[in-house]
C-alpha cells in the first residue's frame, strides 16, 4: 500500500510515517519504479504498535530498542520487563498526581473556609500553615495571627 492509504488506515500523518521510517522504526519499505514507496502489511501493525507505545508514554528510543528486526524476533523478556517498568512509572505518576490533587483541594477548602476574623494579610499564611500541617501531619507552624492573640 502507498503512504496515503497507510496514513488513512492508521490515522497518522504522512509526515509522521516518513519520520518513523527515517528514524528506523519501520523498515522493509520498497520503492517502485515510479518512485512511490510501497508499504507491506507489517508496516500497518508496526505503526499501530509505535503509536500505542507512544500513547503509553514510551519514548521513541525506548520503542526502538524493543521493536524486533523482523516480525518473528521479538525479545519477549525485554518487552515484558520494559512494560512492567512503564507500569511502575505510571503508578508513581498517579501517586504524585493524587498528592497534588489533595494539596489543591486542601488549598481550595482552606481559602473558601478561612476564618473571617483574620486580617487579609494573615490569610495566605493561615492557608500555607494548613497545607504544611496536611503534608507533614504535624502541628502547624505558628502564624502571625497566633502571635497577635
Amino acid at each position: 500500500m502507498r503512504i496515503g492509504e497507510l496514513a488513512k488506515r492508521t490515522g497518522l500523518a504522512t509526515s509522521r510515517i516518513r519520520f518513523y521510517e527515517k528514524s528506523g522504526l519501520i523498515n522493509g519499505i520498497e520503492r517502485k519504479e515510479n518512485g512511490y514507496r510501497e508499504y507491506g502489511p507489517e508496516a500497518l501493525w508496526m505503526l499501530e504498535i509505535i503509536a500505542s507505545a507512544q500513547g503509553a508514554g514510551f519514548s521513541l528510543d525506548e520503542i526502538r530498542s524493543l521493536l524486533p528486526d523482523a516480525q518473528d524476533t521479538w525479545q519477549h523478556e525485554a518487552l515484558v520487563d520494559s512494560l512492567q517498568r512503564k507500569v511502575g512509572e505510571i503508578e508513581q505518576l498517579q501517586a504524585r498526581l493524587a498528592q497534588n490533587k489533595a494539596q489543591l483541594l486542601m488549598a481550595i477548602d482552606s481559602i473558601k473556609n478561612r476564618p473571617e476574623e483574620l486580617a487579609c494579610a494573615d490569610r495566605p499564611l493561615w492557608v500555607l500553615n494548613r497545607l504544611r500541617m496536611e503534608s507533614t501531619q504535624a502541628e502547624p507552624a505558628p502564624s502571625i495571627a497566633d502571635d497577635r492573640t
Side-chain angles (χ1 to χ4, degrees):
M1 76 189 88
R2 293 204 303 228
I3 196 165
E5 182 181 348
L6 188 59
K8 189 178 196 180
R9 291 179 68 181
T10 61
L12 299 172
T14 57
S15 60
R16 192 167 174 190
I17 294 170
R18 286 189 194 102
F19 173 76
Y20 290 153
E21 182 182 348
K22 287 177 187 171
S23 298
L25 291 169
I26 56 172
N27 48 36
I29 297 101
E30 78 181 71
R31 288 248 187 207
K32 296 294 183 185
E33 289 180 20
N34 60 9
Y36 289 122
R37 293 175 178 95
E38 191 67 30
Y39 297 87
E42 65 280 349
L44 180 62
W45 62 262
M46 192 63 79
L47 287 170
E48 290 176 8
I49 289 170
I50 293 166
S52 294
Q54 277 194 299
F58 285 88
S59 70
L60 290 181
D61 285 337
E62 290 172 319
I63 295 168
R64 185 178 291 104
S65 71
L66 295 173
L67 290 177
D69 295 329
Q71 193 170 347
D72 57 351
T73 61
W74 286 94
Q75 300 170 356
H76 296 281
E77 287 182 35
L79 180 60
V80 169
D81 289 345
S82 183
L83 293 172
Q84 288 174 328
R85 270 193 310 278
K86 191 56 69 176
V87 167
E89 290 172 16
I90 290 170
E91 288 171 345
Q92 288 175 348
L93 179 59
Q94 287 175 322
R96 281 195 312 268
L97 290 172
Q99 184 180 24
N100 292 348
K101 180 181 176 183
Q103 287 177 331
L104 291 171
L105 290 171
M106 173 60 82
I108 291 167
D109 181 65
S110 296
I111 292 166
K112 284 183 172 181
N113 299 309
R114 68 191 184 279
E116 291 297 322
E117 66 274 4
L118 280 179
C120 189
D122 295 337
R123 291 177 181 174
L125 186 56
W126 184 85
V127 171
L128 285 174
N129 281 333
R130 284 200 65 201
L131 291 172
R132 283 185 199 127
M133 185 174 69
E134 181 67 24
S135 67
T136 63
Q137 295 297 313
E139 289 297 314
S143 70
I144 296 171
D146 293 339
D147 292 339
R148 293 184 182 164
T149 58

